[in-house]
Amino acid sequence: MKVETLKKRLDKNRPMITITIRIPEDVIEDLKRVAPLLGFSGYQSLARAYIGQGLRADLERLEGDTVSALIASLKRLGVSDEVIQEALSEVAEC
């Protein structure tokens, strides 16, 4: 994830949207019980954290798959490992 994207994600004043989602009662009770033990002010904060955590993991996996596919394609097209590594290093600095 790029630094700028990460900074935006950490901004506490990001715009929020209200949604309605149906979740089993026992799951909500578990969230309410676990939230204070993990230092969250309430179960909704914990639910948002769980959603964000799963989303970040999926985004990283999916973006990683795209990068891996691109690298494989470049190698098939004859681009040297040195050039690929140089490009990856350059992108990592951004």
Side-chain angles (χ1 to χ4, degrees), residues 7-74:
K7 284 180 184 177
K8 288 179 185 175
R9 292 263 169 106
L10 294 174
D11 182 5
K12 300 280 185 203
N13 297 319
R14 296 188 298 183
M16 301 283 268
I17 186 168
T18 301
I19 65 165
T20 301
I21 184 169
R22 295 174 54 85
I23 299 176
E25 286 181 27
D26 62 313
V27 173
I28 296 298
E29 292 306 316
D30 287 344
L31 286 169
K32 287 179 179 180
R33 185 172 49 83
V34 170
L37 299 173
L38 295 176
F40 287 88
S41 60
Y43 76 95
Q44 291 179 341
S45 299
L46 178 57
R48 279 192 299 271
Y50 283 148
I51 292 168
Q53 187 177 45
L55 179 60
R56 283 189 300 278
D58 284 345
L59 286 171
E60 185 175 317
R61 181 180 53 83
L62 293 171
E63 289 171 354
D65 288 349
T66 301
V67 171
S68 296
L70 176 61
I71 291 170
S73 177
L74 290 171

Side-chain angles (χ1 to χ4, degrees), residues 1-9 63 91-92 94:
M1 183 178 300
K2 290 186 178 182
V3 174
E4 289 303 316
T5 303
L6 186 58
K7 284 180 184 177
K8 288 179 185 175
R9 292 263 169 106
E63 289 171 354
V91 169
C94 295

